[in-house]
Amino acid sequence: MAPAPDAAEAALAASAGEALEADGAPEAPAAPSLEATPSPAGAAPAASHAEGAPEVPPTVLVVHASVGSGHRSAANAVGQALEMLREQGVAPEGLHVEVLDILDFGRIVFDGDKTASMFTGATRPLYDLTWRYTLTGRLLWGGGTIWARIMYPKFVEYVQQKKPLAIVATHITAANVAVSARMLSRQRFPIVCVPTDYEVEGLWPHLYTDLFCVANEHMAETLRPRRVPEERIQVTGIPARPTFLTDADPEAVRERFGLPQDKHLVLALAGAHLPRPYVHFRQSIDELLPYLPTLKGIHLVMVAGTDQEYARRLRARCADLELDNVTVLEYVEEMAALMAASDAVICKSGGLVVTECLCAKVPMILLGRAYGQEKANVSMLTAAGAALHVTTARELAYALRHINKNPESTRSMLVNASFLRKPEAALDIARATLALAGPDALPNPRAAKRHFVHFYLGGKPAHTR
């Protein structure tokens, strides 16, 4: 059971005037500390333990929410990068890295994947409106203890026990709960927020984040009117798995998978941890198959992932159509190498998958109507000339025919994509996190503040949506 809000928080929640902080208005003073001496970021945690209690190892928590697979993949990439730095002697000796799903700490543990599926059917336009217009104007969300008070007191207890050097969050829920836990535990560790798409949603805890690691300058331009100081914004890219740091031999990869060397290899990523959002995508791919006999220079590789039933249906459909230029694969371990060996990838416009395509240096064809954050991804990639976007099977067939006849068009996409490619993003985020956790780092002056809810007024939005 979470402790009841203190008097200052109760007053703040009851009064709209105190909950809303106008630009330049004074803030409420910090409540008295719950610890005699709050530990600065990077300080040894054992000092706060009772005599004889086991010493807590230096720990960085990387927290995501299992809503789809992208946030989890980004968190794992950052966790692996931190471990790499530890092995290189850059991180503190004995650094312990934990990758956690914030949903596991909820009072009510719900299935994030099923929740995400609720916004993939008829409700997609509603989700689009919510994502694009909630707290993206001048009235903004700062942060507060409300998240932990209502749903995540177990995470506060966990933070009190672990006394982390830092928390890295790859989802807005994880970020807001981390802010809540820091406020309630009276610790001063830095919080690093890593949006995993190509725009910044309005519900990130802007004022209480020590560092935003964003994909590009466009996102930094979004954060500045939200009163996020320049020194708390770093353009790192979106973290991808370490396998995307290594170069693959395309000919050897094609040989291993039994794929032709003399065809334009087009990879269709139709498998996913969560199949429901791929219903429309798979439908378009099914409608594409009858066009393939006319695309003699193209060999299509379908990746069905762990969905064996879908793979079986694909093989049966290809047999019925007597297609000899299609290969159906199930789960692929060497996905980074397979992508690098391809001439183009057909994929959805999720933040992580398009980032992996950028790192693998493979042109993208983004398939399907995009909503919410995926709409922002499509806009960014197509405006940069780094991807094509199609919404129907007929458009997709036309795009493939164009690529087959004009291979130079994909080369120009790769040149444009090179301005966005940041394959070492995970390492850069890990290094920035450790630098913030060091004893010489200047803490965010708001880290000592405490609010139940905190709205504030920002400047004119850089990007109206």
Side-chain angles (χ1 to χ4, degrees):
M1 191 75 175
D6 59 23
E9 286 188 276
L12 186 62
S15 168
E18 291 179 62
L20 175 64
E21 180 194 16
D23 190 12
E27 295 185 287
S33 175
L34 299 180
E35 298 177 354
T37 306
S39 300
S48 61
H49 279 248
E51 186 177 352
E55 182 176 341
V56 179
T59 300
V60 174
L61 304 180
V62 187
V63 193
H64 65 91
S66 54
V67 182
S69 59
H71 309 290
R72 180 192 303 109
S73 296
N76 285 330
V78 174
Q80 290 169 355
L82 286 164
E83 291 173 347
M84 289 172 62
L85 294 179
R86 179 191 61 203
E87 292 168 3
Q88 295 170 7
V90 178
E93 184 178 355
L95 178 69
H96 183 58
V97 181
E98 295 187 24
V99 179
L100 306 172
D101 183 355
I102 194 62
L103 301 186
D104 291 339
F105 292 85
R107 288 182 190 270
I108 302 171
V109 179
F110 63 92
D111 190 323
D113 289 338
K114 289 183 178 179
T115 303
S117 295
M118 294 171 59
F119 300 101
T120 59
T123 57
R124 286 183 300 166
L126 177 62
Y127 173 71
D128 187 42
L129 288 172
T130 303
W131 195 91
R132 294 175 68 207
Y133 294 105
T134 301
L135 296 177
T136 57
R138 294 198 177 192
L139 178 62
L140 298 166
W141 169 246
T145 63
I146 181 173
W147 297 75
R149 291 290 195 191
I150 295 175
M151 275 290 290
Y152 295 99
K154 289 181 181 178
F155 189 73
V156 178
E157 295 173 7
Y158 196 78
V159 167
Q160 288 173 329
Q161 171 193 345
K162 292 292 182 177
K163 300 188 182 302
L165 296 180
I167 293 182
V168 181
T170 63
H171 188 271
I172 57 168
T173 301
N176 279 287
V177 176
V179 165
S180 296
R182 183 173 66 179
M183 288 180 177
L184 293 172
S185 66
R186 291 303 186 190
Q187 297 180 52
R188 299 293 183 89
F189 55 81
I191 294 173
V192 178
C193 288
V194 185
T196 56
D197 290 288
Y198 289 84
E199 185 54 287
V200 186
E201 190 173 358
L203 284 173
W204 287 93
H206 297 91
L207 298 186
Y208 299 92
T209 294
D210 296 84
L211 183 66
F212 274 97
C213 292
V214 296
N216 54 28
E217 187 61 32
H218 179 94
M219 298 171 72
E221 193 178 9
T222 293
L223 288 172
R224 292 183 188 108
R226 297 181 183 181
R227 289 172 51 189
V228 177
E230 193 68 37
E231 63 270 17
R232 289 199 277 122
I233 304 172
Q234 187 168 333
V235 179
T236 59
I238 295 174
R241 291 169 288 174
T243 52
F244 287 91
L245 287 172
T246 58
D247 292 327
D249 180 350
E251 290 187 5
V253 173
R254 291 191 183 203
E255 185 176 353
R256 282 202 302 275
F257 282 95
L259 301 172
Q261 302 283 357
D262 59 344
K263 297 287 184 72
H264 286 101
L265 202 66
V266 177
L267 186 64
L269 303 180
H273 172 72
L274 186 63
R276 180 66 183 87
Y278 278 75
V279 168
H280 299 282
F281 184 94
R282 291 178 174 183
Q283 182 180 349
S284 295
I285 292 295
D286 289 344
E287 294 172 359
L288 170 72
L289 295 179
Y291 290 94
L292 287 178
T294 67
L295 302 173
K296 294 298 184 182
I298 284 181
H299 190 89
L300 182 67
V301 180
M302 302 282 298
V303 179
T306 57
D307 194 337
Q308 296 180 349
E309 174 60 23
Y310 178 58
R312 185 194 64 77
R313 286 193 287 107
L314 274 176
R315 292 188 179 107
R317 173 81 165 145
C318 291
D320 290 342
L321 294 172
E322 299 181 349
L323 298 176
D324 60 359
N325 59 340
V326 179
T327 298
V328 178
L329 302 175
E330 295 181 21
Y331 182 76
V332 175
E333 287 281 357
E334 296 180 88
M335 182 55 72
L338 184 58
M339 291 170 73
S342 301
D343 295 292
V345 169
I346 305 169
C347 60
K348 286 177 86 279
S349 48
L352 256 293
V353 68
V354 301
T355 297
E356 290 176 348
C357 288
L358 290 171
C359 293
K361 301 179 183 178
V362 58
M364 287 170 273
I365 303 175
L366 308 176
L367 174 59
R369 294 186 63 185
Y371 297 87
Q373 70 275 19
E374 293 191 0
K375 193 168 188 175
N377 298 340
V378 168
S379 297
M380 186 278 301
L381 289 165
T382 55
L388 297 176
H389 180 220
V390 299
T391 57
T392 66
R394 183 180 299 176
E395 281 185 292
L396 177 57
Y398 177 81
L400 292 175
R401 190 173 292 114
H402 174 77
I403 287 173
N404 192 35
K405 292 182 178 179
N406 304 282
E408 65 276 4
S409 62
T410 58
R411 288 193 286 271
S412 66
M413 289 164 62
L414 288 178
V415 171
N416 295 330
S418 66
F419 293 98
L420 305 172
R421 186 181 304 118
K422 293 179 173 60
E424 295 199 2
L427 283 168
D428 289 341
I429 293 167
R431 293 187 188 102
T433 299
L434 294 176
L436 277 178
D440 298 329
L442 295 176
N444 182 346
R446 294 183 182 273
K449 311 274 184 196
R450 190 171 179 174
H451 295 279
F452 182 61
V453 292
H454 187 181
F455 296 93
Y456 69 103
L457 296 179
K460 181 180 179 181
H463 305 119
T464 57
R465 295 190 228 166

